[in-house]
C-alpha cells in the first residue's frame, strides 16, 4: 500500500491523516485528494497529542438496537474512542477493533465500564444496525457501540475530526470499496474533546499501555 503524507502545522510528515480502503490515498476536507494538516505536538510512538483538540461531532445516528444515539449526549463525561470504518473491510478495520478489544480486556472492570469505543460505519447502505450488531462482537467486543445512518451526515461528522471519507464505490469485479481515514480519536472524560489520535498501525500492546491514561483523560 502507498501512503501520502503532508507536513502538519507543528511537525513534519508524521501526523497527516490519510484514507484507506486498503488501497491508500490522501484527502482534504472537500474529498478532492490532498491530506489534512493537523496542529499537533511532535509524535511519540503511536499517539499524536493535538495542540488544538477536536470538538466532538454533533451526530445523532442509529445504534445496533435500531435506536437513536446522540453521540455527544451518550458519551458525555466518559472516555471515548471513535473510529470510522466498515464491516466488509478486509484488514484494517477488523484489526483495529481486535487490537482494541485485546487491550480493553486488560483494563480493570471499573475502567472497562467507563470506556466507550464507538465504531461509525462509512458504508451505511450495507452496514445496517443488524449487520453491525452481528459483526462488532466478533471483530471486537460486545461492549463496542456500532452506529449507522445517513452517509452525508456521517461524512460531515468525520470531517469535523479531520477524517476524510469517500462514498463507497463499486469496482468492476463487483466488490464495494469504502475509502476512509483509519485513525482512532481519543476524547477526554474531563473536557469531552478529542485530544489524541492514533494511526492504523497501533498494536494491542500500545493500546494496553495507553488506555489506562486515556480513561483518566491524561496524555499518553
Amino acid at each position: 500500500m502507498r501512503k501520502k503524507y503532508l507536513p502538519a502545522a507543528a511537525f513534519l510528515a508524521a501526523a497527516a491523516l490519510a484514507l484507506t480502503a486498503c488501497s491508500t490515498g490522501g484527502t482534504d476536507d472537500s474529498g478532492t485528494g490532498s491530506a489534512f494538516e493537523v496542529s499537533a505536538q511532535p509524535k511519540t510512538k503511536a499517539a499524536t497529542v493535538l495542540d488544538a483538540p477536536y470538538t466532538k461531532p454533533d451526530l445523532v445516528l442509529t445504534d445496533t438496537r435500531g435506536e437513536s444515539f446522540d453521540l455527544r449526549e451518550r458519551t458525555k463525561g466518559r472516555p471515548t474512542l471513535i473510529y470510522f470504518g466498515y464491516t466488509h473491510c478486509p484488514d484494517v478495520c477488523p484489526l483495529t477493533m481486535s487490537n482494541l478489544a485485546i487491550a480493553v480486556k486488560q483494563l480493570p472492570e471499573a475502567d472497562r465500564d467507563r470506556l466507550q469505543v464507538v465504531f461509525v460505519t462509512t458504508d451505511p447502505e450495507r452496514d445496517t444496525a443488524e449487520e453491525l450488531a452481528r459483526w462488532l462482537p466478533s471483530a471486537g467486543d460486545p461492549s463496542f457501540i456500532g452506529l449507522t445512518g445517513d452517509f452525508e451526515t456521517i461524512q460531515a461528522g468525520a470531517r469535523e475530526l479531520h477524517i476524510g471519507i469517500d462514498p463507497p464505490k463499486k469496482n468492476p469485479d463487483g466488490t464495494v470499496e469504502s475509502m476512509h481515514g483509519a485513525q482512532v480519536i481519543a476524547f477526554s472524560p474531563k473536557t469531552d474533546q478529542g485530544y489524541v489520535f492514533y494511526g492504523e498501525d497501533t498494536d494491542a500492546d500500545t493500546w494496553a499501555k495507553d488506555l489506562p491514561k486515556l480513561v483518566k483523560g491524561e496524555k499518553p
Side-chain angles (χ1 to χ4, degrees):
M1 298 193 303
R2 293 179 301 167
K3 296 182 181 179
K4 180 167 63 175
Y5 297 105
L6 291 179
F11 62 102
L12 297 178
L17 306 188
L19 291 179
T20 184
C22 307
S23 65
T24 307
T27 188
D28 61 11
D29 58 359
S30 63
T32 55
S34 62
F36 280 115
E37 292 187 356
V38 296
S39 178
Q41 298 175 19
K43 183 175 180 179
T44 59
K45 300 183 179 179
T48 299
V49 178
L50 299 169
D51 286 334
Y54 298 152
T55 299
K56 192 176 293 179
D58 186 12
L59 283 174
V60 180
L61 298 170
T62 302
D63 66 16
T64 54
R65 296 174 294 181
E67 298 177 357
S68 177
F69 189 97
D70 185 321
L71 181 66
R72 284 185 178 175
E73 183 62 29
R74 296 285 291 276
T75 63
K76 185 177 181 180
R78 298 184 64 172
T80 303
L81 305 177
I82 296 179
Y83 178 81
F84 292 82
Y86 66 118
T87 66
H88 290 77
C89 176
D91 45 28
V92 176
C93 300
L95 180 61
T96 299
M97 292 299 101
S98 175
N99 283 337
L100 276 169
I102 292 169
V104 166
K105 286 180 173 65
Q106 299 178 47
L107 287 171
E109 183 176 357
D111 287 348
R112 292 200 306 271
D113 290 343
R114 292 180 62 204
L115 180 65
Q116 300 260 38
V117 178
V118 180
F119 180 95
V120 184
T121 182
T122 61
D123 184 14
E125 183 173 340
R126 292 187 295 171
D127 286 347
T128 61
E130 295 78 11
E131 177 65 16
L132 287 170
R134 181 198 65 79
W135 182 82
L136 267 178
S138 59
D141 187 90
S143 69
F144 291 0
I145 297 165
L147 300 179
T148 187
D150 176 75
F151 176 80
E152 286 73 22
T153 300
I154 292 170
Q155 185 183 49
R159 188 175 296 153
E160 292 181 40
L161 301 179
H162 291 196
I163 294 176
I165 297 175
D166 285 347
K169 66 176 183 179
K170 191 170 184 177
N171 296 319
D173 63 0
T175 60
V176 177
E177 185 176 67
S178 176
M179 297 290 289
H180 62 90
Q183 292 72 36
V184 176
I185 309 295
F187 288 80
S188 168
K190 299 177 180 178
T191 64
D192 283 320
Q193 292 188 313
Y195 69 115
V196 187
F197 78 76
Y198 290 82
E200 64 186 72
D201 57 348
T202 307
D203 59 24
D205 289 341
T206 299
W207 282 119
K209 178 177 67 68
D210 286 5
L211 280 181
K213 297 177 182 178
L214 297 177
V215 167
K216 298 175 183 178
E218 299 174 354
K219 293 181 181 179

